[in-house]
Amino acid sequence: MEKKNSNLIPIITMFFMFAMISFVTNMAAPFGNIWKNHYAWAGMWGNMMNFLAYLIMGIPAGKLMQRIGYKKTALWALGVGFVGMVVQYLSSLVGANVATFSVSGEPVMLNFLIYLLGAFICGFCVCMLNTVVNPMLNTLGGGGNRGNQLIQTGGTLNSLTGTLTPLLVGALIGTVTKDTAMSDVSPLLFIAMGVFALAFIIICFVHIPEPNLNRARSAEKDKYSAWSFRHLVLGVIAIFFYVGIEVGIPAELNFYLTDDPLCGAAIGGAVAAIYWLLMMVGRAVSASISGKVSTRTQLVTVSIVAILFIIVAIFLPSDIRISMPGYSVADGFQMFKVPISALFLVLCGLCTSLMWGGIFNLSVEGLGKYTEQASGIFMMMVVGGGVMPLIQDAIGKSTSYMTSYWLVVAMLLYILFYALIGSKNVNRDIPTE
């Protein structure tokens, strides 16, 4: 009982940081609606820069955590995140009339490049936070189903902020026009700066256990590494695809509804927010059953259901509409008619909610002293959340929005394979103590 109580404050701290990760990440897609109306090709580039940072920072973040521990890594992450928000805010103040280069004969203004830099810096922040949060919760839970339970509980709060962020951005933007700019969402950026500053102060005074700090240093010349485990390698591929799925489903739906003459950016943002809301519900359910239902069983089930939902959405006619809640500046909250495909796409949130925690939990099971290194590798491959939605968006532009979801189906099939076969640890002979 004493051990559980001593872990309570660190667990709550990790939950709070889990929520911040989604708050920062989910600004990119709705912000993309602003830039997409200035540059037709730019909708996913803020998201891409955010996730590109994972590719660069993933392994260094893992090594940083090995050297300085969880707490100091988290503090560095929060400081970097504050700077990223400031840079994104600066994009609304400078460079709006300064052209830099051209794309297809269209001048690209300096303010867009400043925004991309801010998104890139914020990507460093969330990469470092993710590197800390996931292994820490898994460790505090003792691994296994209990470790997954804590990750899913933290993920519930992650989904709550994921629900609120596109809703707030959509409400601030309203109807997107050529005059819509980053200055229209500056209140949200100021809120984010305040949250980062407050979190930094709080974590300075919170004790966070460092169970593997000294051991990680002594293991640097080990002949084995996290890459020696097949289930980790296959899990890294699964997480690359998963983050592409998680981000791509609501982001492309947001673009689809924004271009719909009966919807618009505010409605698109509100419907995308339902997806994140359902992710919160799914994670809450998973957290409540993870003590009894295995991680593998949960991952197999949601993968199959998500595949079915996406296929149904693809084949449903776009002229069939259903009422879903939305928000507009003029009318406030009310029910709006959206294509019925949107319903099945947002229902996927119930399925994707379990995948991050499930894949991470299965991938690091039995890794012992290699867990921190594995976490850094994992964070590197979160770049899939930038790469795969960008590919999906390119498919959507060249064919149709709904055709682009076949890419999501293919990625879900791989995750199903991982849950059934690839997640089994076949390297139990490697010493991990």
Side-chain angles (χ1 to χ4, degrees):
M1 179 64 70
E2 185 177 346
K3 182 179 180 181
K4 288 184 178 179
N5 290 336
S6 66
N7 285 343
L8 181 60
I9 293 178
I11 288 172
I12 292 173
T13 304
M14 294 302 114
F15 286 170
F16 178 71
M17 288 199 289
F18 224 143
M20 291 186 65
I21 291 167
S22 182
F23 178 61
V24 175
T25 303
N26 285 286
M27 288 181 180
F31 283 178
N33 274 323
I34 296 175
W35 296 108
K36 183 167 69 78
N37 215 43
H38 293 274
Y39 313 107
W41 45 268
M44 276 293 185
W45 273 98
N47 183 73
M48 176 62 190
M49 295 301 292
N50 193 284
F51 282 98
L52 180 62
Y54 278 88
L55 181 63
I56 298 171
M57 192 61 193
I59 290 178
K63 290 182 177 179
L64 182 67
M65 189 167 65
Q66 288 178 354
R67 290 182 179 278
I68 67 175
Y70 291 103
K71 181 173 179 174
K72 290 182 179 179
T73 303
L75 290 173
W76 271 102
L78 293 170
V80 170
F82 183 88
V83 172
M85 289 299 165
V86 171
V87 174
Q88 289 191 70
Y89 172 69
L90 290 177
S91 71
S92 68
L93 301 179
V94 298
N97 299 313
V98 180
T100 54
F101 58 88
S102 297
V103 176
S104 300
E106 182 181 21
V108 178
M109 298 301 171
L110 179 61
N111 61 342
F112 179 62
L113 299 183
I114 295 174
Y115 162 73
L116 291 182
L117 175 62
F120 185 64
I121 294 172
C122 284
F124 280 111
C125 161
V126 290
C127 175
M128 294 166 74
L129 288 178
N130 257 317
T131 306
V132 171
V133 167
N134 289 278
M136 186 77 252
L137 285 176
N138 199 55
T139 299
L140 291 171
N145 289 346
R146 172 61 177 163
N148 182 48
Q149 190 172 38
L150 286 183
I151 293 175
Q152 297 296 3
T153 304
T156 303
L157 297 176
N158 181 277
S159 297
L160 175 62
T161 53
T163 301
L164 295 176
T165 303
L167 190 64
L168 287 172
V169 176
L172 288 169
I173 295 175
T175 301
V176 178
T177 68
K178 282 287 185 182
D179 296 324
T180 305
M182 287 296 291
S183 57
D184 295 315
V185 294
S186 57
L188 190 62
L189 295 173
F190 284 124
I191 292 172
M193 293 177 209
V195 170
F196 274 113
L198 179 62
F200 186 94
I201 294 171
I202 291 173
I203 292 175
C204 281
F205 295 97
V206 171
H207 170 71
I208 295 177
E210 306 283 355
N212 298 319
L213 183 57
N214 294 328
R215 186 176 69 178
R217 287 177 179 172
S218 64
E220 288 180 351
K221 295 183 179 179
D222 199 316
K223 68 176 181 177
Y224 295 106
S225 72
W227 290 111
S228 303
F229 294 84
R230 190 197 73 166
H231 70 293
L232 183 276
V233 174
L234 296 178
V236 164
I237 299 172
I239 214 69
F240 178 87
F241 287 147
Y242 161 69
V243 187
I245 293 167
E246 180 195 273
V247 175
I249 290 175
E252 201 67 12
L253 175 62
N254 197 342
F255 293 157
Y256 174 41
L257 296 180
T258 297
D259 288 345
D260 189 296
L262 300 181
C263 297
I267 307 305
V271 173
I274 298 174
Y275 169 89
W276 297 105
L277 177 64
L278 292 179
M279 282 193 72
M280 180 179 69
V281 173
R283 283 171 170 167
V285 171
S286 178
S288 67
I289 67 173
S290 286
K292 298 179 180 179
V293 182
S294 74
T295 303
R296 181 172 285 106
T297 299
Q298 293 183 50
L299 191 57
V300 169
T301 302
V302 296
S303 298
I304 293 172
V305 174
I307 290 169
L308 293 175
F309 279 157
I310 296 289
I311 291 175
V312 169
I314 291 171
F315 284 106
L316 282 172
S318 60
D319 57 349
I320 300 178
R321 292 185 172 258
I322 190 172
S323 294
M324 293 186 71
Y327 177 86
S328 72
V329 176
D331 303 315
F333 286 96
Q334 60 176 309
M335 302 299 287
F336 291 90
K337 293 288 187 181
V338 300
I340 193 171
S341 296
L343 173 64
F344 287 92
L345 293 176
V346 298
L347 284 174
C348 288
L350 291 169
C351 304
T352 56
S353 61
L354 281 65
M355 292 180 181
W356 172 271
I359 296 170
F360 185 89
N361 180 255
L362 291 172
S363 296
V364 301
E365 190 66 24
L367 263 60
K369 64 184 178 183
Y370 303 108
T371 300
E372 285 80 7
Q373 182 191 11
S375 182
I377 295 169
F378 248 74
M379 294 314 115
M380 179 182 71
M381 298 310 291
V382 172
V383 69
V387 174
M388 301 313 294
L390 196 64
I391 295 173
Q392 184 184 351
D393 191 49
I395 295 171
K397 283 184 171 61
S398 62
T399 56
S400 69
Y401 286 112
M402 297 312 301
T403 301
S404 73
Y405 281 95
W406 282 114
L407 178 63
V408 177
V409 172
M411 292 188 287
L412 285 168
L413 286 171
Y414 178 84
I415 291 177
L416 177 60
F417 153 77
Y418 181 72
L420 289 170
I421 301 171
S423 59
K424 296 177 181 178
N425 185 359
V426 297
N427 303 106
R428 297 184 182 276
D429 56 323
I430 298 176
T432 58
E433 295 299 327

